[in-house]
Amino acid sequence: MAGNRTFTMIKPGAVKAGHIGSILKHITDGGFRIVALKFTHLTKQKAEGFYAVHSERPFFGELTEFMSSGPIIAAILEKDNAVEDFRTLIGATNPADAAEGTIRALYATSIGENAVHGSDSDENAAIEGNFHFAATEMF
Ligand code: CMP
């Protein structure tokens, strides 16, 4: 059965460009309820821990430098079929391929600086949410 929670981050580029409010509105207008929300700044080490699954990829250094380059918004979101529906809302990883009207089509500048993260499975949504939030911070 599809799960009802996913995890997202608004990445440093979109935060710097002033898109926090627009992106959160896009998310809640899309039918997602905010379960947990945090404005924080990842250390390089924390970014490496979060993206450990990509540690062998050629873009790992660039990705973790970028993700620790400025503050981010982290959030857990709730909706039926959350992981799949959120991936539809944000669009393809590379904004050049993202469907019109999606968050990445509107706010991303490149595949590396692609505005938002979205979990790719129910299992990773739980792992990623627990990476950033204690149970007492989920409502
Ligand atoms: P995200 O959904 O946060 O998950 C992993 C991230 O790695 C992805 O978004 C992209 O920002 C980044 N990424 C994936 N492929 C590349 C690439 N070829 N070059 C740079 N960054 C990439």
Side-chain angles (χ1 to χ4, degrees), residues 9 11 50-51 54 57-60 62-63 66-67 87 90 93-94 104 110-119:
M9 292 182 286
K11 300 188 179 187
F50 183 85
Y51 281 114
H54 295 303
R57 309 288 284 275
F59 56 82
F60 184 66
E62 185 188 325
L63 172 63
F66 171 61
M67 289 304 296
R87 288 173 74 80
I90 66 180
T93 304
N94 187 344
R104 284 173 171 154
S110 68
I111 190 169
E113 304 200 7
N114 62 354
V116 288
H117 168 80
S119 304

Short mmCIF file of all heavy atoms in Angstrom, two decimals, residues 9 11 50-51 54 57-60 62-63 66-67 87 90 93-94 104 110-119, ligand 1:
data_model
loop_
_atom_site.label_atom_id
_atom_site.label_comp_id
_atom_site.label_asym_id
_atom_site.label_seq_id
_atom_site.Cartn_x
_atom_site.Cartn_y
_atom_site.Cartn_z
N MET A 9 13.31 18.93 1.02
CA MET A 9 14.13 20.08 1.42
C MET A 9 13.99 21.13 0.32
O MET A 9 13.99 20.78 -0.87
CB MET A 9 15.61 19.68 1.53
CG MET A 9 15.90 18.74 2.69
SD MET A 9 17.66 18.34 2.83
CE MET A 9 17.89 17.22 1.46
N LYS A 11 16.22 23.71 -1.27
CA LYS A 11 17.69 23.74 -1.30
C LYS A 11 18.23 25.18 -1.22
O LYS A 11 17.50 26.15 -1.48
CB LYS A 11 18.17 23.03 -2.56
CG LYS A 11 17.72 21.55 -2.61
CD LYS A 11 18.37 20.80 -3.76
CE LYS A 11 17.92 19.35 -3.75
NZ LYS A 11 18.66 18.54 -4.75
N PHE A 50 23.43 12.66 4.85
CA PHE A 50 22.10 12.60 4.24
C PHE A 50 22.16 11.95 2.86
O PHE A 50 21.30 11.14 2.51
CB PHE A 50 21.49 14.01 4.12
CG PHE A 50 20.10 13.99 3.57
CD1 PHE A 50 19.02 13.79 4.39
CD2 PHE A 50 19.89 14.12 2.20
CE1 PHE A 50 17.73 13.73 3.88
CE2 PHE A 50 18.61 14.05 1.67
CZ PHE A 50 17.53 13.86 2.52
N TYR A 51 23.18 12.32 2.07
CA TYR A 51 23.28 11.82 0.69
C TYR A 51 24.27 10.66 0.57
O TYR A 51 24.80 10.42 -0.53
CB TYR A 51 23.71 12.96 -0.23
CG TYR A 51 22.57 13.91 -0.61
CD1 TYR A 51 22.55 15.22 -0.20
CD2 TYR A 51 21.51 13.47 -1.41
CE1 TYR A 51 21.52 16.10 -0.55
CE2 TYR A 51 20.48 14.33 -1.78
CZ TYR A 51 20.49 15.63 -1.35
OH TYR A 51 19.46 16.47 -1.73
N HIS A 54 24.64 8.36 -2.37
CA HIS A 54 25.26 8.86 -3.62
C HIS A 54 26.78 9.02 -3.49
O HIS A 54 27.40 9.64 -4.37
CB HIS A 54 24.66 10.22 -4.00
CG HIS A 54 23.21 10.17 -4.34
ND1 HIS A 54 22.70 9.35 -5.34
CD2 HIS A 54 22.13 10.84 -3.84
CE1 HIS A 54 21.39 9.52 -5.41
NE2 HIS A 54 21.02 10.40 -4.51
N ARG A 57 29.01 8.55 -6.48
CA ARG A 57 28.66 9.25 -7.72
C ARG A 57 29.63 10.40 -7.97
O ARG A 57 30.12 11.02 -7.02
CB ARG A 57 27.23 9.80 -7.66
CG ARG A 57 26.19 8.76 -7.23
CD ARG A 57 25.92 7.72 -8.31
NE ARG A 57 25.08 8.27 -9.37
CZ ARG A 57 23.75 8.31 -9.31
NH1 ARG A 57 23.10 7.87 -8.26
NH2 ARG A 57 23.05 8.79 -10.33
N PRO A 58 29.91 10.70 -9.24
CA PRO A 58 30.88 11.76 -9.56
C PRO A 58 30.45 13.15 -9.05
O PRO A 58 31.30 14.01 -8.84
CB PRO A 58 30.96 11.75 -11.09
CG PRO A 58 29.78 10.97 -11.55
CD PRO A 58 29.40 10.04 -10.45
N PHE A 59 29.14 13.35 -8.85
CA PHE A 59 28.67 14.66 -8.43
C PHE A 59 28.54 14.80 -6.91
O PHE A 59 28.05 15.83 -6.42
CB PHE A 59 27.32 14.99 -9.10
CG PHE A 59 26.24 13.96 -8.85
CD1 PHE A 59 25.50 13.96 -7.69
CD2 PHE A 59 25.96 13.00 -9.81
CE1 PHE A 59 24.50 13.02 -7.46
CE2 PHE A 59 24.97 12.04 -9.60
CZ PHE A 59 24.24 12.06 -8.43
N PHE A 60 29.02 13.79 -6.15
CA PHE A 60 28.82 13.79 -4.70
C PHE A 60 29.44 15.03 -4.02
O PHE A 60 28.82 15.66 -3.16
CB PHE A 60 29.39 12.51 -4.09
CG PHE A 60 29.16 12.37 -2.60
CD1 PHE A 60 27.88 12.23 -2.09
CD2 PHE A 60 30.23 12.37 -1.72
CE1 PHE A 60 27.66 12.10 -0.72
CE2 PHE A 60 30.02 12.24 -0.35
CZ PHE A 60 28.74 12.10 0.15
N GLU A 62 30.23 18.00 -5.34
CA GLU A 62 29.48 19.19 -5.77
C GLU A 62 28.13 19.27 -5.02
O GLU A 62 27.74 20.34 -4.53
CB GLU A 62 29.26 19.05 -7.28
CG GLU A 62 28.62 20.19 -7.99
CD GLU A 62 28.30 19.79 -9.45
OE1 GLU A 62 29.09 19.02 -10.06
OE2 GLU A 62 27.26 20.23 -9.95
N LEU A 63 27.46 18.13 -4.93
CA LEU A 63 26.14 18.06 -4.28
C LEU A 63 26.23 18.44 -2.80
O LEU A 63 25.45 19.25 -2.30
CB LEU A 63 25.58 16.64 -4.44
CG LEU A 63 24.29 16.30 -3.68
CD1 LEU A 63 23.12 17.15 -4.16
CD2 LEU A 63 23.95 14.81 -3.86
N PHE A 66 27.19 22.13 -2.26
CA PHE A 66 26.03 22.99 -2.50
C PHE A 66 25.03 22.90 -1.35
O PHE A 66 24.54 23.92 -0.86
CB PHE A 66 25.37 22.60 -3.83
CG PHE A 66 24.05 23.29 -4.06
CD1 PHE A 66 23.97 24.67 -4.12
CD2 PHE A 66 22.88 22.56 -4.19
CE1 PHE A 66 22.75 25.32 -4.30
CE2 PHE A 66 21.66 23.19 -4.36
CZ PHE A 66 21.59 24.58 -4.43
N MET A 67 24.73 21.68 -0.90
CA MET A 67 23.70 21.51 0.13
C MET A 67 24.12 22.08 1.48
O MET A 67 23.28 22.31 2.34
CB MET A 67 23.30 20.04 0.25
CG MET A 67 22.51 19.53 -0.94
SD MET A 67 21.00 20.47 -1.28
CE MET A 67 20.05 20.16 0.22
N ARG A 87 6.58 13.71 -6.14
CA ARG A 87 7.52 13.68 -7.26
C ARG A 87 6.87 14.25 -8.53
O ARG A 87 7.52 14.88 -9.35
CB ARG A 87 8.08 12.27 -7.46
CG ARG A 87 9.05 11.93 -6.31
CD ARG A 87 9.51 10.50 -6.34
NE ARG A 87 10.49 10.22 -7.38
CZ ARG A 87 11.78 10.50 -7.29
NH1 ARG A 87 12.27 11.10 -6.22
NH2 ARG A 87 12.60 10.17 -8.27
N ILE A 90 6.88 18.13 -8.07
CA ILE A 90 8.16 18.82 -8.22
C ILE A 90 8.74 18.69 -9.63
O ILE A 90 9.53 19.53 -10.04
CB ILE A 90 9.20 18.41 -7.14
CG1 ILE A 90 9.64 16.96 -7.26
CG2 ILE A 90 8.66 18.72 -5.76
CD1 ILE A 90 10.68 16.55 -6.19
N THR A 93 14.17 15.45 -12.03
CA THR A 93 15.40 15.88 -11.34
C THR A 93 16.08 17.01 -12.10
O THR A 93 16.54 17.99 -11.52
CB THR A 93 16.37 14.70 -11.19
OG1 THR A 93 15.68 13.65 -10.50
CG2 THR A 93 17.60 15.08 -10.39
N ASN A 94 16.20 16.85 -13.41
CA ASN A 94 16.79 17.89 -14.25
C ASN A 94 15.69 18.86 -14.68
O ASN A 94 14.75 18.46 -15.37
CB ASN A 94 17.43 17.24 -15.49
CG ASN A 94 18.21 18.26 -16.31
OD1 ASN A 94 18.05 19.47 -16.14
ND2 ASN A 94 19.07 17.76 -17.18
N ARG A 104 10.18 22.38 -9.93
CA ARG A 104 11.52 22.49 -10.53
C ARG A 104 11.48 23.30 -11.83
O ARG A 104 12.42 24.06 -12.12
CB ARG A 104 12.13 21.11 -10.73
CG ARG A 104 12.64 20.52 -9.41
CD ARG A 104 13.08 19.10 -9.57
NE ARG A 104 13.75 18.58 -8.38
CZ ARG A 104 13.79 17.30 -8.06
NH1 ARG A 104 13.19 16.40 -8.85
NH2 ARG A 104 14.41 16.90 -6.98
N SER A 110 19.39 24.29 -12.42
CA SER A 110 20.21 23.24 -13.04
C SER A 110 19.93 21.93 -12.33
O SER A 110 19.26 21.91 -11.29
CB SER A 110 21.70 23.59 -12.90
OG SER A 110 22.08 23.51 -11.54
N ILE A 111 20.48 20.82 -12.85
CA ILE A 111 20.26 19.52 -12.21
C ILE A 111 20.85 19.49 -10.79
O ILE A 111 20.30 18.87 -9.89
CB ILE A 111 20.80 18.35 -13.07
CG1 ILE A 111 20.34 17.00 -12.51
CG2 ILE A 111 22.31 18.41 -13.22
CD1 ILE A 111 20.59 15.83 -13.43
N GLY A 112 21.95 20.18 -10.59
CA GLY A 112 22.57 20.22 -9.26
C GLY A 112 21.81 21.15 -8.33
O GLY A 112 21.60 20.84 -7.16
N GLU A 113 21.39 22.29 -8.86
CA GLU A 113 20.69 23.29 -8.05
C GLU A 113 19.22 23.25 -8.44
O GLU A 113 18.70 24.16 -9.10
CB GLU A 113 21.34 24.67 -8.26
CG GLU A 113 22.83 24.61 -7.94
CD GLU A 113 23.47 25.97 -7.65
OE1 GLU A 113 22.74 26.97 -7.57
OE2 GLU A 113 24.70 25.99 -7.49
N ASN A 114 18.57 22.12 -8.06
CA ASN A 114 17.24 21.85 -8.60
C ASN A 114 16.10 22.17 -7.62
O ASN A 114 15.06 21.52 -7.62
CB ASN A 114 17.15 20.42 -9.13
CG ASN A 114 17.38 19.38 -8.06
OD1 ASN A 114 17.71 19.70 -6.93
ND2 ASN A 114 17.20 18.11 -8.41
N ALA A 115 16.32 23.19 -6.80
CA ALA A 115 15.28 23.83 -5.96
C ALA A 115 14.79 22.99 -4.78
O ALA A 115 14.72 23.50 -3.67
CB ALA A 115 14.09 24.30 -6.80
N VAL A 116 14.42 21.73 -5.04
CA VAL A 116 13.86 20.91 -3.96
C VAL A 116 14.32 19.46 -4.08
O VAL A 116 14.62 18.96 -5.17
CB VAL A 116 12.31 20.92 -3.98
CG1 VAL A 116 11.75 22.25 -3.52
CG2 VAL A 116 11.78 20.55 -5.34
N HIS A 117 14.32 18.80 -2.93
CA HIS A 117 14.53 17.36 -2.86
C HIS A 117 13.19 16.70 -2.60
O HIS A 117 12.33 17.28 -1.93
CB HIS A 117 15.49 17.02 -1.71
CG HIS A 117 15.55 15.56 -1.39
ND1 HIS A 117 16.28 14.67 -2.12
CD2 HIS A 117 14.92 14.83 -0.43
CE1 HIS A 117 16.12 13.45 -1.62
NE2 HIS A 117 15.31 13.52 -0.59
N GLY A 118 12.98 15.50 -3.11
CA GLY A 118 11.80 14.70 -2.77
C GLY A 118 12.21 13.25 -2.60
O GLY A 118 12.97 12.73 -3.42
N SER A 119 11.73 12.59 -1.55
CA SER A 119 12.09 11.19 -1.31
C SER A 119 11.66 10.32 -2.50
O SER A 119 10.67 10.60 -3.16
CB SER A 119 11.39 10.67 -0.06
OG SER A 119 11.70 11.48 1.05
P1 CMP B 1 17.88 15.17 -5.12
O1 CMP B 1 16.46 14.80 -5.40
O2 CMP B 1 18.14 16.02 -3.95
O3 CMP B 1 18.75 13.82 -4.98
C1 CMP B 1 20.09 13.73 -5.35
C2 CMP B 1 20.59 14.96 -6.01
O4 CMP B 1 21.78 14.81 -6.73
C3 CMP B 1 19.59 15.41 -7.05
O5 CMP B 1 18.44 15.90 -6.41
C4 CMP B 1 20.39 16.40 -7.86
O6 CMP B 1 20.36 17.70 -7.32
C5 CMP B 1 21.79 15.83 -7.71
N1 CMP B 1 22.22 15.28 -8.99
C6 CMP B 1 21.73 14.21 -9.62
N2 CMP B 1 22.39 14.02 -10.79
C7 CMP B 1 23.32 15.00 -10.86
C8 CMP B 1 24.30 15.35 -11.83
N3 CMP B 1 24.45 14.63 -12.93
N4 CMP B 1 25.07 16.43 -11.58
C9 CMP B 1 24.92 17.15 -10.44
N5 CMP B 1 23.99 16.86 -9.50
C10 CMP B 1 23.20 15.80 -9.70
#
